[in-house]
Structure formats: structure tokens, C-alpha cells
Amino acid sequence: MRILIIGSILCWFCLAKDNVPIIVTPPVLRLNSTNTIFITPLHRVNGPADIKVKVHELLQNGNYQTEYRHAKGKISGHAHPVSFKVNNDAIEANLTVTVSGHVEQQIRLLVAPDLRTIYLKTDKGFYKAGETINLRSVPITINGEIYVGQIEYALVNPDGFELTKHVVSAPNTPLSLTFDLPEHLFYGEWQIKARPINSQNQPLLNFAVSFQVTDYALPPFVLDFQILDGDSMTETKLTANAHYFHGGLVSGSVTLNCFDPDSQTPHEKQLHQPLLVGEVGGFDI
């Protein structure tokens, strides 16, 4: 008798397990975006199967929002898509999948912003204390479009401490931001981190760009000029060049100190117009 009861329980368990529909879901549901799950009824169910999906969302204010999706007369053994949108204020979603002739299934899924990546780029790779960092940011959605939503940007020192934060409502265009480095700081590898608001601290939705902060001096200027036969002895053309260690050109005005070979007394010559380094300018000497 005991063996018969145990055998009946095992058979019921196997039957229940075999009558579970195959359900494929994404790892997380995307906020304010169309999400799709795939439901496959089993072959052993006689006739077409009716599918009902209940989406029960927990919102940030503690309330719930419920919507339903129905699909009738679906062929067994085939995957059938069911699509729905998730409210932008949702924290999590609970799905109840009911397929005729199958065991009802409960699925709990986290939600996340519809964001694939955030491209981050600084204007330089090396900075010194007190300098301004110019950042370009392009957030991209799963479908390859520019993400529209709130993003938090943070300036992080080598110890992992977040010094400055900006919360920006990303427009439908690439974004430009600036961060000012402190005058007194620790040298080393710094970062700017970006993460969407309501990301639930998911590691896959945290993005960063790194750069070095160190003490460096301006590189030397190189002056290139020559006087050929027949050229004016009172004016010559020269090129001033200087490159930062990261490869960028130094820019600014140029002051030329001239020396009289007889008196060895220096006197300063200032350009009438500021000259960008790398350009050619004329000096009256």
C-alpha cells in the first residue's frame, strides 16, 4: 500500500513536471520599452492552446499596476511571442503565465533602463590638479538609438571615493559635461563613472572611463625658422611647436624675446595677434 501511494505521488509529480510550458524570458525587463517573452505549449496537449500572461508591476511609490496579454488557439510545439511594455516607474515585475492544459507558472523578473552601453571619452588622457575635464557621453539603447533618460555621472578618485556627481536628463543627442579637479588631490588613476537612474545597482549598467592625474610641466617649445638670401633682414617667419605628453598640441599666444648681438640686452617682442602653436607668424626683428 505504501509503495502504491509513493508511486502515485511520483507519477503525479512527473505528469505535473511534463505539463510545464517552455518559457523563455530576457534576463531583465527594459523600462519604457517593449519586452517579448516566448511561450511554447507541449505537443502532448490535444488541440490548440490558449495563452494568458498577467504582468504585475511593483512601482516606486509602492502601488501595483497590472495588465494582461492573451493569445488564443496557438499550435503546440511552436514558440509564440508575447510582448508588453513595462512602466517607467516599475521596480520589478511578476509574470503569471497560464497555458491551457499546463501548470500555471510564476516568474519574477527585475527591471532596468533600456540601455545597452554609455560611450565615455575625455578630451585628454593626462591631467594635473585644478584642470577641467571635458567629457563626451553617448548613451545607446538596446535598439541602437540614443537613450533618453536620467543618467548620473560621478568623478571618482584613486581610492574609489566619488567627489562630484551630476544627474543629467540625457537629451536625444550626444552629451557634453565638465568636471573640475581639486587643487589638492591624490595622483593616480581617476575615473568618471556613469549609470542610469533606477539601475538597481546592476553591475552591467555601470560604465566608466579612466585617466591619469599627475604633476607635469609644460613641454618645451620648438621654434623653426630660417633666413634665405634675399629675405628681409627686418622680418622673418617662424613656426612654434609644442606637444603635450598625450600628443595634443599646446595652444596659446606666443611671446618672443630677442637679443641684440652687440649689447646682449634682451627686449621682448609680442605678436599683434595671438598665435596658435603650430601656425606661422611674422615678427619684426
mmCIF file of all heavy atoms in Angstrom, residues 167-196:
data_model
loop_
_atom_site.group_PDB
_atom_site.id
_atom_site.type_symbol
_atom_site.label_atom_id
_atom_site.label_comp_id
_atom_site.label_asym_id
_atom_site.label_seq_id
_atom_site.Cartn_x
_atom_site.Cartn_y
_atom_site.Cartn_z
ATOM 1 N N VAL A 167 23.565 64.701 -12.060
ATOM 2 C CA VAL A 167 22.443 63.941 -12.609
ATOM 3 C C VAL A 167 21.888 64.739 -13.778
ATOM 4 O O VAL A 167 21.459 65.882 -13.617
ATOM 5 C CB VAL A 167 21.352 63.688 -11.553
ATOM 6 C CG1 VAL A 167 20.159 62.969 -12.189
ATOM 7 C CG2 VAL A 167 21.912 62.860 -10.403
ATOM 8 N N VAL A 168 21.928 64.126 -14.951
ATOM 9 C CA VAL A 168 21.570 64.825 -16.183
ATOM 10 C C VAL A 168 20.446 64.068 -16.875
ATOM 11 O O VAL A 168 20.481 62.838 -16.970
ATOM 12 C CB VAL A 168 22.789 64.935 -17.123
ATOM 13 C CG1 VAL A 168 22.405 65.656 -18.405
ATOM 14 C CG2 VAL A 168 23.932 65.652 -16.425
ATOM 15 N N SER A 169 19.458 64.804 -17.334
ATOM 16 C CA SER A 169 18.422 64.212 -18.180
ATOM 17 C C SER A 169 18.963 64.182 -19.600
ATOM 18 O O SER A 169 19.068 65.223 -20.259
ATOM 19 C CB SER A 169 17.130 65.032 -18.112
ATOM 20 O OG SER A 169 16.577 64.976 -16.816
ATOM 21 N N ALA A 170 19.347 62.995 -20.041
ATOM 22 C CA ALA A 170 20.030 62.869 -21.328
ATOM 23 C C ALA A 170 19.109 63.307 -22.459
ATOM 24 O O ALA A 170 18.003 62.796 -22.603
ATOM 25 C CB ALA A 170 20.473 61.423 -21.539
ATOM 26 N N PRO A 171 19.559 64.267 -23.274
ATOM 27 C CA PRO A 171 18.776 64.641 -24.457
ATOM 28 C C PRO A 171 18.947 63.589 -25.542
ATOM 29 O O PRO A 171 19.698 62.628 -25.389
ATOM 30 C CB PRO A 171 19.405 65.978 -24.874
ATOM 31 C CG PRO A 171 20.825 65.855 -24.424
ATOM 32 C CD PRO A 171 20.813 65.022 -23.168
ATOM 33 N N ASN A 172 18.269 63.794 -26.640
ATOM 34 C CA ASN A 172 18.358 62.840 -27.750
ATOM 35 C C ASN A 172 19.555 63.151 -28.642
ATOM 36 O O ASN A 172 19.499 63.003 -29.855
ATOM 37 C CB ASN A 172 17.063 62.871 -28.561
ATOM 38 C CG ASN A 172 16.924 61.646 -29.450
ATOM 39 O OD1 ASN A 172 17.561 60.621 -29.221
ATOM 40 N ND2 ASN A 172 16.121 61.761 -30.479
ATOM 41 N N THR A 173 20.644 63.614 -28.027
ATOM 42 C CA THR A 173 21.884 63.942 -28.735
ATOM 43 C C THR A 173 23.055 63.585 -27.827
ATOM 44 O O THR A 173 22.879 63.401 -26.621
ATOM 45 C CB THR A 173 21.952 65.447 -29.074
ATOM 46 O OG1 THR A 173 21.829 66.202 -27.861
ATOM 47 C CG2 THR A 173 20.847 65.843 -30.039
ATOM 48 N N PRO A 174 24.283 63.480 -28.373
ATOM 49 C CA PRO A 174 25.453 63.286 -27.508
ATOM 50 C C PRO A 174 25.547 64.398 -26.469
ATOM 51 O O PRO A 174 25.180 65.545 -26.718
ATOM 52 C CB PRO A 174 26.623 63.320 -28.495
ATOM 53 C CG PRO A 174 26.031 62.871 -29.786
ATOM 54 C CD PRO A 174 24.630 63.420 -29.806
ATOM 55 N N LEU A 175 26.067 64.053 -25.300
ATOM 56 C CA LEU A 175 26.063 64.952 -24.148
ATOM 57 C C LEU A 175 27.479 65.406 -23.825
ATOM 58 O O LEU A 175 28.429 64.624 -23.918
ATOM 59 C CB LEU A 175 25.455 64.219 -22.951
ATOM 60 C CG LEU A 175 25.268 65.000 -21.659
ATOM 61 C CD1 LEU A 175 24.214 66.080 -21.840
ATOM 62 C CD2 LEU A 175 24.854 64.060 -20.533
ATOM 63 N N SER A 176 27.632 66.683 -23.444
ATOM 64 C CA SER A 176 28.927 67.232 -23.027
ATOM 65 C C SER A 176 28.833 67.665 -21.569
ATOM 66 O O SER A 176 27.876 68.331 -21.172
ATOM 67 C CB SER A 176 29.320 68.430 -23.901
ATOM 68 O OG SER A 176 29.498 68.037 -25.241
ATOM 69 N N LEU A 177 29.851 67.282 -20.776
ATOM 70 C CA LEU A 177 29.909 67.638 -19.359
ATOM 71 C C LEU A 177 31.319 68.084 -19.009
ATOM 72 O O LEU A 177 32.286 67.721 -19.693
ATOM 73 C CB LEU A 177 29.537 66.440 -18.480
ATOM 74 C CG LEU A 177 28.076 66.008 -18.414
ATOM 75 C CD1 LEU A 177 27.966 64.708 -17.637
ATOM 76 C CD2 LEU A 177 27.226 67.069 -17.759
ATOM 77 N N THR A 178 31.446 68.852 -17.916
ATOM 78 C CA THR A 178 32.763 69.239 -17.414
ATOM 79 C C THR A 178 32.865 68.892 -15.936
ATOM 80 O O THR A 178 31.885 68.978 -15.194
ATOM 81 C CB THR A 178 33.023 70.745 -17.602
ATOM 82 O OG1 THR A 178 32.018 71.492 -16.907
ATOM 83 C CG2 THR A 178 33.012 71.117 -19.076
ATOM 84 N N PHE A 179 34.068 68.480 -15.526
ATOM 85 C CA PHE A 179 34.383 68.211 -14.124
ATOM 86 C C PHE A 179 35.666 68.964 -13.786
ATOM 87 O O PHE A 179 36.643 68.897 -14.542
ATOM 88 C CB PHE A 179 34.588 66.713 -13.875
ATOM 89 C CG PHE A 179 33.328 65.903 -13.899
ATOM 90 C CD1 PHE A 179 32.845 65.395 -15.095
ATOM 91 C CD2 PHE A 179 32.623 65.640 -12.737
ATOM 92 C CE1 PHE A 179 31.688 64.640 -15.133
ATOM 93 C CE2 PHE A 179 31.461 64.891 -12.761
ATOM 94 C CZ PHE A 179 30.990 64.390 -13.957
ATOM 95 N N ASP A 180 35.669 69.663 -12.661
ATOM 96 C CA ASP A 180 36.858 70.384 -12.207
ATOM 97 C C ASP A 180 37.603 69.546 -11.177
ATOM 98 O O ASP A 180 37.034 69.147 -10.155
ATOM 99 C CB ASP A 180 36.473 71.734 -11.598
ATOM 100 C CG ASP A 180 35.900 72.691 -12.632
ATOM 101 O OD1 ASP A 180 36.367 72.643 -13.789
ATOM 102 O OD2 ASP A 180 34.992 73.474 -12.289
ATOM 103 N N LEU A 181 38.876 69.284 -11.455
ATOM 104 C CA LEU A 181 39.696 68.551 -10.496
ATOM 105 C C LEU A 181 40.084 69.468 -9.339
ATOM 106 O O LEU A 181 40.325 70.667 -9.542
ATOM 107 C CB LEU A 181 40.959 68.029 -11.177
ATOM 108 C CG LEU A 181 40.764 66.872 -12.165
ATOM 109 C CD1 LEU A 181 42.043 66.626 -12.945
ATOM 110 C CD2 LEU A 181 40.345 65.607 -11.428
ATOM 111 N N PRO A 182 40.160 68.952 -8.115
ATOM 112 C CA PRO A 182 40.583 69.773 -6.974
ATOM 113 C C PRO A 182 42.033 70.232 -7.129
ATOM 114 O O PRO A 182 42.832 69.603 -7.830
ATOM 115 C CB PRO A 182 40.432 68.822 -5.776
ATOM 116 C CG PRO A 182 39.554 67.709 -6.253
ATOM 117 C CD PRO A 182 39.795 67.579 -7.723
ATOM 118 N N GLU A 183 42.359 71.331 -6.465
ATOM 119 C CA GLU A 183 43.737 71.819 -6.479
ATOM 120 C C GLU A 183 44.657 70.896 -5.681
ATOM 121 O O GLU A 183 45.842 70.769 -5.988
ATOM 122 C CB GLU A 183 43.790 73.235 -5.908
ATOM 123 C CG GLU A 183 43.113 74.290 -6.773
ATOM 124 C CD GLU A 183 43.886 74.583 -8.051
ATOM 125 O OE1 GLU A 183 45.069 74.191 -8.136
ATOM 126 O OE2 GLU A 183 43.307 75.197 -8.966
ATOM 127 N N HIS A 184 44.109 70.271 -4.646
ATOM 128 C CA HIS A 184 44.889 69.351 -3.814
ATOM 129 C C HIS A 184 44.239 67.973 -3.915
ATOM 130 O O HIS A 184 43.075 67.798 -3.545
ATOM 131 C CB HIS A 184 44.931 69.829 -2.364
ATOM 132 C CG HIS A 184 45.461 71.227 -2.213
ATOM 133 N ND1 HIS A 184 46.803 71.520 -2.291
ATOM 134 C CD2 HIS A 184 44.809 72.406 -2.008
ATOM 135 C CE1 HIS A 184 46.977 72.828 -2.131
ATOM 136 N NE2 HIS A 184 45.782 73.389 -1.959
ATOM 137 N N LEU A 185 44.998 67.015 -4.410
ATOM 138 C CA LEU A 185 44.425 65.693 -4.662
ATOM 139 C C LEU A 185 45.513 64.632 -4.640
ATOM 140 O O LEU A 185 46.703 64.931 -4.507
ATOM 141 C CB LEU A 185 43.685 65.685 -6.013
ATOM 142 C CG LEU A 185 44.373 66.304 -7.246
ATOM 143 C CD1 LEU A 185 45.565 65.520 -7.714
ATOM 144 C CD2 LEU A 185 43.373 66.452 -8.375
ATOM 145 N N PHE A 186 45.077 63.375 -4.760
ATOM 146 C CA PHE A 186 45.995 62.249 -4.863
ATOM 147 C C PHE A 186 46.238 61.953 -6.340
ATOM 148 O O PHE A 186 45.305 61.926 -7.144
ATOM 149 C CB PHE A 186 45.416 61.004 -4.179
ATOM 150 C CG PHE A 186 45.273 61.143 -2.696
ATOM 151 C CD1 PHE A 186 44.027 61.332 -2.116
ATOM 152 C CD2 PHE A 186 46.388 61.087 -1.870
ATOM 153 C CE1 PHE A 186 43.888 61.465 -0.748
ATOM 154 C CE2 PHE A 186 46.263 61.218 -0.501
ATOM 155 C CZ PHE A 186 45.011 61.409 0.066
ATOM 156 N N TYR A 187 47.495 61.721 -6.682
ATOM 157 C CA TYR A 187 47.823 61.354 -8.050
ATOM 158 C C TYR A 187 47.493 59.881 -8.275
ATOM 159 O O TYR A 187 47.445 59.077 -7.352
ATOM 160 C CB TYR A 187 49.308 61.600 -8.335
ATOM 161 C CG TYR A 187 49.706 63.059 -8.260
ATOM 162 C CD1 TYR A 187 50.916 63.448 -7.684
ATOM 163 C CD2 TYR A 187 48.873 64.047 -8.761
ATOM 164 C CE1 TYR A 187 51.284 64.787 -7.617
ATOM 165 C CE2 TYR A 187 49.224 65.385 -8.698
ATOM 166 C CZ TYR A 187 50.432 65.747 -8.120
ATOM 167 O OH TYR A 187 50.779 67.069 -8.057
ATOM 168 N N GLY A 188 47.285 59.539 -9.532
ATOM 169 C CA GLY A 188 46.994 58.150 -9.870
ATOM 170 C C GLY A 188 45.900 58.058 -10.915
ATOM 171 O O GLY A 188 45.636 59.012 -11.660
ATOM 172 N N GLU A 189 45.258 56.896 -10.962
ATOM 173 C CA GLU A 189 44.205 56.653 -11.951
ATOM 174 C C GLU A 189 42.856 57.102 -11.406
ATOM 175 O O GLU A 189 42.367 56.577 -10.414
ATOM 176 C CB GLU A 189 44.150 55.170 -12.320
ATOM 177 C CG GLU A 189 43.128 54.865 -13.420
ATOM 178 C CD GLU A 189 43.099 53.409 -13.817
ATOM 179 O OE1 GLU A 189 43.991 52.982 -14.566
ATOM 180 O OE2 GLU A 189 42.202 52.691 -13.347
ATOM 181 N N TRP A 190 42.257 58.062 -12.072
ATOM 182 C CA TRP A 190 40.930 58.559 -11.730
ATOM 183 C C TRP A 190 39.924 58.018 -12.739
ATOM 184 O O TRP A 190 40.298 57.511 -13.797
ATOM 185 C CB TRP A 190 40.916 60.089 -11.734
ATOM 186 C CG TRP A 190 41.627 60.712 -10.565
ATOM 187 C CD1 TRP A 190 42.929 60.541 -10.208
ATOM 188 C CD2 TRP A 190 41.063 61.616 -9.612
ATOM 189 N NE1 TRP A 190 43.229 61.278 -9.086
ATOM 190 C CE2 TRP A 190 42.094 61.959 -8.701
ATOM 191 C CE3 TRP A 190 39.808 62.184 -9.435
ATOM 192 C CZ2 TRP A 190 41.890 62.829 -7.635
ATOM 193 C CZ3 TRP A 190 39.599 63.057 -8.382
ATOM 194 C CH2 TRP A 190 40.631 63.366 -7.486
ATOM 195 N N GLN A 191 38.648 58.156 -12.397
ATOM 196 C CA GLN A 191 37.590 57.684 -13.286
ATOM 197 C C GLN A 191 36.412 58.655 -13.278
ATOM 198 O O GLN A 191 36.203 59.396 -12.308
ATOM 199 C CB GLN A 191 37.075 56.305 -12.859
ATOM 200 C CG GLN A 191 38.014 55.153 -13.110
ATOM 201 C CD GLN A 191 37.358 53.827 -12.759
ATOM 202 O OE1 GLN A 191 36.596 53.719 -11.794
ATOM 203 N NE2 GLN A 191 37.634 52.800 -13.546
ATOM 204 N N ILE A 192 35.668 58.621 -14.361
ATOM 205 C CA ILE A 192 34.322 59.186 -14.380
ATOM 206 C C ILE A 192 33.376 58.025 -14.655
ATOM 207 O O ILE A 192 33.507 57.336 -15.670
ATOM 208 C CB ILE A 192 34.166 60.280 -15.449
ATOM 209 C CG1 ILE A 192 35.033 61.491 -15.086
ATOM 210 C CG2 ILE A 192 32.704 60.700 -15.571
ATOM 211 C CD1 ILE A 192 34.982 62.606 -16.103
ATOM 212 N N LYS A 193 32.455 57.797 -13.721
ATOM 213 C CA LYS A 193 31.505 56.699 -13.850
ATOM 214 C C LYS A 193 30.144 57.237 -14.274
ATOM 215 O O LYS A 193 29.764 58.352 -13.912
ATOM 216 C CB LYS A 193 31.377 55.938 -12.528
ATOM 217 C CG LYS A 193 32.634 55.167 -12.141
ATOM 218 C CD LYS A 193 32.410 54.331 -10.891
ATOM 219 C CE LYS A 193 33.646 53.500 -10.561
ATOM 220 N NZ LYS A 193 33.428 52.662 -9.347
ATOM 221 N N ALA A 194 29.431 56.425 -15.024
ATOM 222 C CA ALA A 194 28.092 56.793 -15.484
ATOM 223 C C ALA A 194 27.153 55.615 -15.267
ATOM 224 O O ALA A 194 27.515 54.466 -15.538
ATOM 225 C CB ALA A 194 28.117 57.184 -16.961
ATOM 226 N N ARG A 195 25.976 55.911 -14.764
ATOM 227 C CA ARG A 195 24.971 54.870 -14.546
ATOM 228 C C ARG A 195 23.588 55.499 -14.648
ATOM 229 O O ARG A 195 23.380 56.635 -14.195
ATOM 230 C CB ARG A 195 25.157 54.221 -13.173
ATOM 231 C CG ARG A 195 25.271 55.220 -12.031
ATOM 232 C CD ARG A 195 25.561 54.561 -10.704
ATOM 233 N NE ARG A 195 25.861 55.553 -9.675
ATOM 234 C CZ ARG A 195 27.088 55.874 -9.277
ATOM 235 N NH1 ARG A 195 28.132 55.272 -9.820
ATOM 236 N NH2 ARG A 195 27.278 56.783 -8.341
ATOM 237 N N PRO A 196 22.640 54.796 -15.230
ATOM 238 C CA PRO A 196 21.284 55.340 -15.323
ATOM 239 C C PRO A 196 20.602 55.333 -13.964
ATOM 240 O O PRO A 196 20.869 54.470 -13.122
ATOM 241 C CB PRO A 196 20.589 54.394 -16.309
ATOM 242 C CG PRO A 196 21.337 53.108 -16.164
ATOM 243 C CD PRO A 196 22.755 53.478 -15.867
#
